[in-house]
Structure formats: structure tokens, C-alpha cells
Amino acid sequence: AVSETFGEHDSMLKFLKEKKGDFDLHFMANGPRGLGAANGNDFLEVMKDLETDAAFLAGLEATVQAISSSATTSDEVKKLRAKLVVDLLMDLINLRRYWNELQKDRWMKDDLDVSSFFDPVM
């Protein structure tokens, strides 16, 4: 029973490490995102980056939720470990979502600018 518990523990830790690695690769590989003028980005480029980030986070969340629902076992220790791993990853996902929302707020003035939809008055 002890070896089974450690085996499950190792698989959950491997999952955590793998998903954290995916997260780091996506967000850290290209440097800070959503900062705009400081990085030479324009509004549309930043919004595309934030959309890509949102899609990545949704996919990661779906994977984490799938692991959560598939971790059905009668062993309470395994259930607890699975819940802790899922909770850690969901905290990471939600924190990044909040960070992205803050980055969007920096671009609110540009987002509300509708002048490009109207012909200039001559």
C-alpha cells in the first residue's frame, strides 16, 4: 500500500511539474507581455497576446479539471494529493488571469477609442 501511495504521489508531482513547465514556457519564454509601449508593442498586438494567453489558460484549466475528475479513488491520501495539485494549478491559472485583466486595464483608453470606425471630417 505504501509503494502505491508513493507511485500515485509521483505521478501527481510529475503532472504538476509538467503543467508548471508548460505554463512557464508559455508566459516566460517571450518576456513580459501586455506592457505595450515599454516593449514597443501596439494595442492590437497586446490584445492578440492576451487572447492567446486566455486560450492557453482555458486549455490548461480543462486539462487540470480532467485530471481532477479522473482522480477517483477510495484512498483518502491519494484524493488529498490530487486535490492539492489541482488547487495549486488552479491558483496559478487564476492569478495569471487576474494579472492579464490588470494588463488589459492599462489599455482601456485605447480600447475605448472608436475614432478608427469613423471617416475623418475634412
PDB file of all heavy atoms in Angstrom, residues 9-30:
ATOM      1  N   HIS A   9       1.655   9.519  -5.796  1.00  0.00           N
ATOM      2  CA  HIS A   9       2.242  10.802  -5.422  1.00  0.00           C
ATOM      3  C   HIS A   9       3.206  11.256  -6.510  1.00  0.00           C
ATOM      4  O   HIS A   9       3.171  12.402  -6.938  1.00  0.00           O
ATOM      5  CB  HIS A   9       2.946  10.658  -4.068  1.00  0.00           C
ATOM      6  CG  HIS A   9       3.614  11.895  -3.580  1.00  0.00           C
ATOM      7  ND1 HIS A   9       2.911  13.022  -3.247  1.00  0.00           N
ATOM      8  CD2 HIS A   9       4.926  12.181  -3.387  1.00  0.00           C
ATOM      9  CE1 HIS A   9       3.767  13.951  -2.856  1.00  0.00           C
ATOM     10  NE2 HIS A   9       4.987  13.466  -2.935  1.00  0.00           N
ATOM     11  N   ASP A  10       4.037  10.359  -6.976  1.00  0.00           N
ATOM     12  CA  ASP A  10       4.997  10.697  -8.027  1.00  0.00           C
ATOM     13  C   ASP A  10       4.284  11.100  -9.314  1.00  0.00           C
ATOM     14  O   ASP A  10       4.700  12.039  -9.974  1.00  0.00           O
ATOM     15  CB  ASP A  10       5.929   9.523  -8.300  1.00  0.00           C
ATOM     16  CG  ASP A  10       6.924   9.304  -7.176  1.00  0.00           C
ATOM     17  OD1 ASP A  10       7.092  10.204  -6.342  1.00  0.00           O
ATOM     18  OD2 ASP A  10       7.527   8.220  -7.160  1.00  0.00           O
ATOM     19  N   SER A  11       3.219  10.398  -9.688  1.00  0.00           N
ATOM     20  CA  SER A  11       2.516  10.745 -10.922  1.00  0.00           C
ATOM     21  C   SER A  11       1.852  12.116 -10.811  1.00  0.00           C
ATOM     22  O   SER A  11       1.842  12.881 -11.779  1.00  0.00           O
ATOM     23  CB  SER A  11       1.496   9.670 -11.298  1.00  0.00           C
ATOM     24  OG  SER A  11       0.436   9.632 -10.377  1.00  0.00           O
ATOM     25  N   MET A  12       1.319  12.440  -9.658  1.00  0.00           N
ATOM     26  CA  MET A  12       0.713  13.761  -9.478  1.00  0.00           C
ATOM     27  C   MET A  12       1.781  14.851  -9.481  1.00  0.00           C
ATOM     28  O   MET A  12       1.573  15.923 -10.042  1.00  0.00           O
ATOM     29  CB  MET A  12      -0.112  13.812  -8.185  1.00  0.00           C
ATOM     30  CG  MET A  12      -1.392  12.999  -8.232  1.00  0.00           C
ATOM     31  SD  MET A  12      -2.459  13.325  -9.666  1.00  0.00           S
ATOM     32  CE  MET A  12      -2.985  14.987  -9.336  1.00  0.00           C
ATOM     33  N   LEU A  13       2.932  14.566  -8.872  1.00  0.00           N
ATOM     34  CA  LEU A  13       4.018  15.544  -8.905  1.00  0.00           C
ATOM     35  C   LEU A  13       4.561  15.716 -10.322  1.00  0.00           C
ATOM     36  O   LEU A  13       4.912  16.832 -10.718  1.00  0.00           O
ATOM     37  CB  LEU A  13       5.144  15.137  -7.951  1.00  0.00           C
ATOM     38  CG  LEU A  13       4.857  15.360  -6.473  1.00  0.00           C
ATOM     39  CD1 LEU A  13       6.051  14.938  -5.629  1.00  0.00           C
ATOM     40  CD2 LEU A  13       4.502  16.807  -6.191  1.00  0.00           C
ATOM     41  N   LYS A  14       4.632  14.630 -11.074  1.00  0.00           N
ATOM     42  CA  LYS A  14       5.059  14.732 -12.469  1.00  0.00           C
ATOM     43  C   LYS A  14       4.079  15.590 -13.259  1.00  0.00           C
ATOM     44  O   LYS A  14       4.480  16.419 -14.077  1.00  0.00           O
ATOM     45  CB  LYS A  14       5.177  13.343 -13.092  1.00  0.00           C
ATOM     46  CG  LYS A  14       6.392  12.582 -12.647  1.00  0.00           C
ATOM     47  CD  LYS A  14       6.422  11.187 -13.262  1.00  0.00           C
ATOM     48  CE  LYS A  14       7.530  10.361 -12.635  1.00  0.00           C
ATOM     49  NZ  LYS A  14       7.491   8.957 -13.088  1.00  0.00           N
ATOM     50  N   PHE A  15       2.785  15.382 -13.024  1.00  0.00           N
ATOM     51  CA  PHE A  15       1.764  16.186 -13.692  1.00  0.00           C
ATOM     52  C   PHE A  15       1.920  17.655 -13.325  1.00  0.00           C
ATOM     53  O   PHE A  15       1.894  18.527 -14.202  1.00  0.00           O
ATOM     54  CB  PHE A  15       0.368  15.679 -13.315  1.00  0.00           C
ATOM     55  CG  PHE A  15      -0.743  16.480 -13.910  1.00  0.00           C
ATOM     56  CD1 PHE A  15      -1.081  16.340 -15.246  1.00  0.00           C
ATOM     57  CD2 PHE A  15      -1.468  17.384 -13.139  1.00  0.00           C
ATOM     58  CE1 PHE A  15      -2.110  17.077 -15.810  1.00  0.00           C
ATOM     59  CE2 PHE A  15      -2.489  18.130 -13.690  1.00  0.00           C
ATOM     60  CZ  PHE A  15      -2.812  17.966 -15.030  1.00  0.00           C
ATOM     61  N   LEU A  16       2.100  17.934 -12.039  1.00  0.00           N
ATOM     62  CA  LEU A  16       2.288  19.304 -11.575  1.00  0.00           C
ATOM     63  C   LEU A  16       3.514  19.927 -12.229  1.00  0.00           C
ATOM     64  O   LEU A  16       3.456  21.044 -12.747  1.00  0.00           O
ATOM     65  CB  LEU A  16       2.435  19.329 -10.047  1.00  0.00           C
ATOM     66  CG  LEU A  16       2.743  20.670  -9.389  1.00  0.00           C
ATOM     67  CD1 LEU A  16       1.635  21.674  -9.651  1.00  0.00           C
ATOM     68  CD2 LEU A  16       2.953  20.481  -7.896  1.00  0.00           C
ATOM     69  N   LYS A  17       4.613  19.209 -12.235  1.00  0.00           N
ATOM     70  CA  LYS A  17       5.855  19.725 -12.827  1.00  0.00           C
ATOM     71  C   LYS A  17       5.687  19.966 -14.324  1.00  0.00           C
ATOM     72  O   LYS A  17       6.133  20.991 -14.856  1.00  0.00           O
ATOM     73  CB  LYS A  17       6.990  18.741 -12.575  1.00  0.00           C
ATOM     74  CG  LYS A  17       8.321  19.225 -13.060  1.00  0.00           C
ATOM     75  CD  LYS A  17       9.420  18.244 -12.723  1.00  0.00           C
ATOM     76  CE  LYS A  17      10.762  18.774 -13.222  1.00  0.00           C
ATOM     77  NZ  LYS A  17      11.856  17.853 -12.935  1.00  0.00           N
ATOM     78  N   GLU A  18       5.021  19.044 -15.007  1.00  0.00           N
ATOM     79  CA  GLU A  18       4.815  19.175 -16.449  1.00  0.00           C
ATOM     80  C   GLU A  18       3.963  20.406 -16.773  1.00  0.00           C
ATOM     81  O   GLU A  18       4.297  21.201 -17.654  1.00  0.00           O
ATOM     82  CB  GLU A  18       4.135  17.917 -16.978  1.00  0.00           C
ATOM     83  CG  GLU A  18       3.804  17.963 -18.450  1.00  0.00           C
ATOM     84  CD  GLU A  18       2.993  16.763 -18.895  1.00  0.00           C
ATOM     85  OE1 GLU A  18       3.260  15.639 -18.415  1.00  0.00           O
ATOM     86  OE2 GLU A  18       2.079  16.959 -19.723  1.00  0.00           O
ATOM     87  N   LYS A  19       2.863  20.558 -16.064  1.00  0.00           N
ATOM     88  CA  LYS A  19       1.963  21.684 -16.345  1.00  0.00           C
ATOM     89  C   LYS A  19       2.586  23.015 -15.936  1.00  0.00           C
ATOM     90  O   LYS A  19       2.401  24.024 -16.616  1.00  0.00           O
ATOM     91  CB  LYS A  19       0.605  21.488 -15.661  1.00  0.00           C
ATOM     92  CG  LYS A  19      -0.153  20.310 -16.207  1.00  0.00           C
ATOM     93  CD  LYS A  19      -0.301  20.417 -17.708  1.00  0.00           C
ATOM     94  CE  LYS A  19      -0.617  19.115 -18.366  1.00  0.00           C
ATOM     95  NZ  LYS A  19      -0.462  19.163 -19.822  1.00  0.00           N
ATOM     96  N   LYS A  20       3.333  23.021 -14.854  1.00  0.00           N
ATOM     97  CA  LYS A  20       4.049  24.243 -14.450  1.00  0.00           C
ATOM     98  C   LYS A  20       5.099  24.594 -15.500  1.00  0.00           C
ATOM     99  O   LYS A  20       5.304  25.758 -15.842  1.00  0.00           O
ATOM    100  CB  LYS A  20       4.699  24.033 -13.072  1.00  0.00           C
ATOM    101  CG  LYS A  20       5.576  25.173 -12.604  1.00  0.00           C
ATOM    102  CD  LYS A  20       4.804  26.447 -12.345  1.00  0.00           C
ATOM    103  CE  LYS A  20       5.639  27.468 -11.610  1.00  0.00           C
ATOM    104  NZ  LYS A  20       6.471  28.291 -12.474  1.00  0.00           N
ATOM    105  N   GLY A  21       5.757  23.567 -16.054  1.00  0.00           N
ATOM    106  CA  GLY A  21       6.725  23.798 -17.124  1.00  0.00           C
ATOM    107  C   GLY A  21       6.070  24.375 -18.363  1.00  0.00           C
ATOM    108  O   GLY A  21       6.602  25.301 -18.993  1.00  0.00           O
ATOM    109  N   ASP A  22       4.886  23.851 -18.729  1.00  0.00           N
ATOM    110  CA  ASP A  22       4.126  24.391 -19.863  1.00  0.00           C
ATOM    111  C   ASP A  22       3.767  25.853 -19.610  1.00  0.00           C
ATOM    112  O   ASP A  22       3.881  26.703 -20.502  1.00  0.00           O
ATOM    113  CB  ASP A  22       2.845  23.594 -20.095  1.00  0.00           C
ATOM    114  CG  ASP A  22       3.096  22.173 -20.568  1.00  0.00           C
ATOM    115  OD1 ASP A  22       4.245  21.846 -20.955  1.00  0.00           O
ATOM    116  OD2 ASP A  22       2.136  21.367 -20.521  1.00  0.00           O
ATOM    117  N   PHE A  23       3.335  26.132 -18.397  1.00  0.00           N
ATOM    118  CA  PHE A  23       2.959  27.489 -18.000  1.00  0.00           C
ATOM    119  C   PHE A  23       4.153  28.428 -18.133  1.00  0.00           C
ATOM    120  O   PHE A  23       4.055  29.491 -18.752  1.00  0.00           O
ATOM    121  CB  PHE A  23       2.446  27.457 -16.555  1.00  0.00           C
ATOM    122  CG  PHE A  23       1.941  28.771 -16.047  1.00  0.00           C
ATOM    123  CD1 PHE A  23       0.609  29.114 -16.210  1.00  0.00           C
ATOM    124  CD2 PHE A  23       2.780  29.659 -15.400  1.00  0.00           C
ATOM    125  CE1 PHE A  23       0.127  30.321 -15.734  1.00  0.00           C
ATOM    126  CE2 PHE A  23       2.309  30.866 -14.923  1.00  0.00           C
ATOM    127  CZ  PHE A  23       0.972  31.207 -15.095  1.00  0.00           C
ATOM    128  N   ASP A  24       5.284  28.024 -17.566  1.00  0.00           N
ATOM    129  CA  ASP A  24       6.490  28.854 -17.629  1.00  0.00           C
ATOM    130  C   ASP A  24       6.934  29.074 -19.066  1.00  0.00           C
ATOM    131  O   ASP A  24       7.307  30.188 -19.442  1.00  0.00           O
ATOM    132  CB  ASP A  24       7.628  28.217 -16.831  1.00  0.00           C
ATOM    133  CG  ASP A  24       7.406  28.310 -15.333  1.00  0.00           C
ATOM    134  OD1 ASP A  24       6.542  29.091 -14.892  1.00  0.00           O
ATOM    135  OD2 ASP A  24       8.101  27.569 -14.596  1.00  0.00           O
ATOM    136  N   LEU A  25       6.896  28.029 -19.853  1.00  0.00           N
ATOM    137  CA  LEU A  25       7.308  28.136 -21.244  1.00  0.00           C
ATOM    138  C   LEU A  25       6.431  29.125 -21.999  1.00  0.00           C
ATOM    139  O   LEU A  25       6.927  29.965 -22.747  1.00  0.00           O
ATOM    140  CB  LEU A  25       7.258  26.755 -21.910  1.00  0.00           C
ATOM    141  CG  LEU A  25       7.758  26.687 -23.343  1.00  0.00           C
ATOM    142  CD1 LEU A  25       9.244  27.034 -23.409  1.00  0.00           C
ATOM    143  CD2 LEU A  25       7.539  25.299 -23.905  1.00  0.00           C
ATOM    144  N   HIS A  26       5.137  29.043 -21.779  1.00  0.00           N
ATOM    145  CA  HIS A  26       4.219  29.941 -22.487  1.00  0.00           C
ATOM    146  C   HIS A  26       4.403  31.396 -22.058  1.00  0.00           C
ATOM    147  O   HIS A  26       4.468  32.285 -22.903  1.00  0.00           O
ATOM    148  CB  HIS A  26       2.766  29.518 -22.250  1.00  0.00           C
ATOM    149  CG  HIS A  26       1.783  30.405 -22.952  1.00  0.00           C
ATOM    150  ND1 HIS A  26       1.447  30.235 -24.271  1.00  0.00           N
ATOM    151  CD2 HIS A  26       1.095  31.486 -22.522  1.00  0.00           C
ATOM    152  CE1 HIS A  26       0.584  31.178 -24.627  1.00  0.00           C
ATOM    153  NE2 HIS A  26       0.351  31.939 -23.577  1.00  0.00           N
ATOM    154  N   PHE A  27       4.486  31.632 -20.764  1.00  0.00           N
ATOM    155  CA  PHE A  27       4.490  33.011 -20.281  1.00  0.00           C
ATOM    156  C   PHE A  27       5.875  33.623 -20.102  1.00  0.00           C
ATOM    157  O   PHE A  27       6.030  34.837 -20.172  1.00  0.00           O
ATOM    158  CB  PHE A  27       3.713  33.117 -18.965  1.00  0.00           C
ATOM    159  CG  PHE A  27       2.243  32.946 -19.158  1.00  0.00           C
ATOM    160  CD1 PHE A  27       1.603  31.792 -18.763  1.00  0.00           C
ATOM    161  CD2 PHE A  27       1.492  33.927 -19.767  1.00  0.00           C
ATOM    162  CE1 PHE A  27       0.248  31.614 -18.951  1.00  0.00           C
ATOM    163  CE2 PHE A  27       0.134  33.773 -19.974  1.00  0.00           C
ATOM    164  CZ  PHE A  27      -0.489  32.612 -19.568  1.00  0.00           C
ATOM    165  N   MET A  28       6.873  32.817 -19.859  1.00  0.00           N
ATOM    166  CA  MET A  28       8.187  33.377 -19.567  1.00  0.00           C
ATOM    167  C   MET A  28       9.129  33.388 -20.772  1.00  0.00           C
ATOM    168  O   MET A  28      10.095  34.122 -20.789  1.00  0.00           O
ATOM    169  CB  MET A  28       8.855  32.608 -18.420  1.00  0.00           C
ATOM    170  CG  MET A  28       8.013  32.511 -17.176  1.00  0.00           C
ATOM    171  SD  MET A  28       7.523  34.132 -16.580  1.00  0.00           S
ATOM    172  CE  MET A  28       6.428  33.685 -15.268  1.00  0.00           C
ATOM    173  N   ALA A  29       8.830  32.589 -21.778  1.00  0.00           N
ATOM    174  CA  ALA A  29       9.736  32.465 -22.916  1.00  0.00           C
ATOM    175  C   ALA A  29       9.857  33.767 -23.709  1.00  0.00           C
ATOM    176  O   ALA A  29      10.928  34.096 -24.201  1.00  0.00           O
ATOM    177  CB  ALA A  29       9.273  31.333 -23.840  1.00  0.00           C
ATOM    178  N   ASN A  30       8.771  34.520 -23.802  1.00  0.00           N
ATOM    179  CA  ASN A  30       8.773  35.737 -24.604  1.00  0.00           C
ATOM    180  C   ASN A  30       8.933  37.003 -23.770  1.00  0.00           C
ATOM    181  O   ASN A  30       8.727  38.094 -24.273  1.00  0.00           O
ATOM    182  CB  ASN A  30       7.483  35.821 -25.419  1.00  0.00           C
ATOM    183  CG  ASN A  30       7.341  34.658 -26.360  1.00  0.00           C
ATOM    184  OD1 ASN A  30       8.325  34.196 -26.924  1.00  0.00           O
ATOM    185  ND2 ASN A  30       6.126  34.169 -26.527  1.00  0.00           N
TER     186      ASN A  30
END
